[in-house]
């Protein structure tokens, strides 16, 4: 079989909740050998969120393709074993508070002395330096401080946080990119390096021109609900049978097609209809026209009519709808996998398709410590040594 693109890259994942571990998951999806080093009590995500029969479902997703090894890094024997593992690793991903690895004698200078080619990715809420560096940092705080929450929600409502790990997910994708960038530099220069990723920063970039608009114009983006200051109509609308759809008209030609479809070509002739920003100032009138037409038709009728008119629309789905949608089915976006504890599970597939070296999900998140003996034996620890470490609580 053709090797996957990251075959031969060894990753030690010692991070928890959620950005660092997800970055390691994405690397595993494309062939990296990822050893998940968990505290003997288990990674916190095993008990986080939905459970079935006492088995954490989030772990099944986040731990997929990883080898689970228990090892207490706060104990000298655990630290010594970790040093052995670092010696032949390519990447370490961690998210302890700044100073924790250094306190254990595992800071980057020490790790680099063991392995000059090592890439150490450090993913924390606020980065490795600055006045907030040692504060506890979670994605929620990044969503608040970046400006995301301030612009999210209804105009007369409070700032709104997402109901999932948005900032963590963005940071995970960015961490993956940072690791691949560092590995490419290592390929050229022969040396590893340290990555300092603060979760507050990637989401700040994805918020677009807010920073430069404030710098140059003194403007602060207000909360607008589902509307946009750049185009209209752009909103969610309820159909006659109780469904919801989302409409976007970022392109002028699409906006015109929508208004023809809903029987209001007269609005196209208005001087203000000529640009998206000007249309946005007449959002009430446009929403009334579009929403009124949509509200008189079933969801299927609306989607069919918009499709025939080549106007941009999408149904608003729940997870249940994703399973049955023909486009997701055609892409293989949801995959069914065997699982040692749950039988079969369905979860999101890999992020993208490569024509020559496609990735794959090799297994779901394994039971705690499933690979401890197998992995540690590679580092010279025999059965007697494993038994001693277990009795001391260093491994489970």
């Amino acid at each position: 079989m053709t090797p996957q693109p990251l075959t031969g890259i060894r990753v030690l994942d010692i991070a928890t909740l959620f950005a660092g571990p997800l970055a390691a998951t994405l690397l595993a999806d494309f062939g990296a050998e990822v050893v998940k080093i968990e505290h003997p009590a288990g990674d916190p995500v095993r008990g986080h969120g939905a459970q079935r029969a006492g088995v954490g479902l989030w772990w099944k997703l986040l731990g997929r393709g990883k080898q689970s090894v228990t090892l207490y890094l706060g104990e000298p024997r655990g630290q010594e074993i970790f040093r052995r593992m670092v010696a032949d690793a390519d990447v370490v991903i961690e998210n302890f508070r700044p100073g924790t690895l250094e306190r254990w004698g595992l800071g980057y200078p020490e790790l680099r002395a063991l392995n000059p080619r090592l890439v150490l990715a450090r993913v924390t809420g606020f980065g490795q330096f600055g006045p907030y560096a040692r504060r506890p940092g979670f994605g929620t705080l990044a969503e608040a401080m970046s400006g995301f929450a301030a612009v999210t929600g209804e105009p007369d409502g409070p700032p709104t946080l997402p109901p999932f790990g948005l900032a963590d997910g963005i940071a995970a994708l960015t961490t993956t990119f940072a690791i691949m960038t560092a590995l490419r530099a290592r390929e050229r220069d022969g040396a590893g390096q340290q990555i300092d990723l603060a979760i507050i920063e990637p989401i700040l970039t994805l918020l677009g021109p807010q920073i430069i608009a404030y710098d140059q114009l003194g403007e602060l983006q207000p909360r607008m609900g589902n509307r946009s200051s750049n185009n209209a109509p752009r909103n969610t609308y309820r159909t006659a049978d109780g469904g919801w759809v989302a409409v976007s008209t970022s392109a002028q030609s699409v906006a015109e097609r929508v208004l023809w479809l809903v029987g209001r070509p007269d609005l196209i002739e208005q001087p203000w209809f000529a640009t998206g920003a000007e249309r946005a100032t007449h959002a009430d009138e446009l929403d009334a026209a579009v929403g009124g037409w949509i509200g008189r038709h079933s969801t299927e009728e609306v989607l069919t009519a918009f499709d025939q008119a080549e106007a941009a629309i999408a149904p608003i789905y729940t997870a249940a709808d994703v399973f049955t949608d023909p486009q997701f089915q055609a892409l293989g976006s949801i995959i069914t996998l065997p699982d040692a504890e749950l039988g079969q599970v369905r979860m999101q597939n890999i992020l993208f398709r490569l024509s020559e070296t496609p990735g794959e999900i090799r297994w779901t998140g394994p039971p705690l410590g499933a690979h401890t003996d197998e992995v540690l034996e590679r580092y010279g620890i025999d059965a007697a040594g494993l038994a001693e470490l277990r009795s001391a609580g260093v491994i489970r």
Side-chain angles (χ1 to χ4, degrees), residues 63-84:
R64 70 190 195 188
K66 300 179 183 180
Q67 301 173 68
S68 172
V69 172
T70 58
L71 186 65
Y72 180 39
L73 296 179
E75 204 269 353
R77 283 171 291 183
Q79 294 159 10
E80 177 54 35
I81 294 169
F82 181 68
R83 290 187 184 95
R84 295 189 214 175

Side-chain angles (χ1 to χ4, degrees), residues 95-396:
N95 70 338
F96 294 103
R97 285 200 205 184
T100 300
L101 288 187
E102 286 75 10
R103 189 171 69 250
W104 291 340
L106 301 173
Y108 189 59
E110 290 81 6
L111 298 183
R112 190 170 188 173
L114 296 168
N115 181 354
R117 291 173 55 80
L118 181 72
V119 172
L120 174 63
R122 316 192 75 169
V123 186
T124 58
F126 303 104
Q128 295 296 309
F129 58 91
Y132 304 160
R134 295 185 63 81
R135 290 184 182 179
F138 297 101
T140 297
L141 309 187
E143 290 146 10
M145 291 179 62
S146 64
F148 172 85
V151 301
T152 304
E154 295 299 324
D156 57 351
T160 301
L161 296 166
F164 63 98
L166 177 63
D168 278 307
I170 295 170
L173 292 168
T174 309
T175 300
T176 309
F177 171 59
I179 289 169
M180 298 309 300
T181 302
L183 290 175
R184 174 63 183 93
R186 187 185 74 173
E187 186 179 275
R188 183 191 63 202
D189 303 331
Q193 58 186 296
Q194 182 173 216
I195 297 165
D196 177 7
L197 189 137
I199 296 174
I200 57 173
E201 291 185 303
I203 189 172
L204 185 67
T205 295
L206 263 64
L207 284 169
Q210 290 187 39
I211 296 297
I212 194 170
Y214 181 72
D215 172 61
Q216 295 295 303
L217 304 172
E219 292 181 353
L220 292 173
Q221 181 175 325
R223 288 190 289 282
M224 301 184 67
N226 293 319
R227 289 177 172 176
S228 168
S229 59
N230 300 313
N231 67 82
R234 192 262 198 183
N235 214 325
T236 60
Y237 306 94
R238 192 155 199 178
T239 62
D241 56 355
W244 287 91
V245 295
V247 172
S248 177
T249 58
S250 297
Q252 181 70 21
S253 59
V254 173
E256 293 175 4
R257 288 197 288 270
V258 169
L259 270 296
W260 275 105
L261 171 62
V262 302
R264 293 300 306 273
D266 56 298
L267 295 177
I268 300 172
E269 305 302 320
Q270 298 297 322
W272 50 261
F273 199 87
T275 69
E278 289 190 75
R279 291 200 310 274
T281 64
H282 293 262
D284 287 343
E285 189 173 357
L286 292 169
D287 276 347
V290 175
W293 184 89
I294 288 175
R296 295 191 296 273
H297 296 80
S298 70
T299 303
E300 184 177 353
E301 290 170 340
V302 170
L303 295 174
T304 299
F306 269 70
D307 186 48
Q308 292 173 346
E310 298 184 358
I313 194 170
I316 292 179
Y317 279 170
T318 66
D321 300 310
V322 171
F323 280 113
T324 60
D325 180 84
Q327 183 62 32
F328 283 125
Q329 290 177 344
L331 293 173
S333 304
I334 305 298
I335 188 170
T336 301
L337 298 163
D339 182 78
E341 297 171 294
L342 299 175
Q344 282 195 330
V345 298
R346 289 184 289 177
M347 65 175 63
Q348 301 93 315
N349 207 340
I350 57 178
L351 283 178
F352 50 84
R353 288 158 290 280
L354 296 176
S355 63
E356 306 304 322
T357 55
E360 68 170 324
I361 300 170
R362 288 167 284 177
W363 57 81
T364 59
L368 177 61
H371 303 92
T372 299
D373 291 10
E374 172 190 340
V375 171
L376 295 192
E377 284 171 0
R378 293 203 304 251
Y379 297 96
I381 302 173
D382 59 16
L386 291 170
E388 181 184 350
L389 291 169
R390 281 200 169 88
S391 66
V394 179
I395 64 174
R396 176 170 170 171

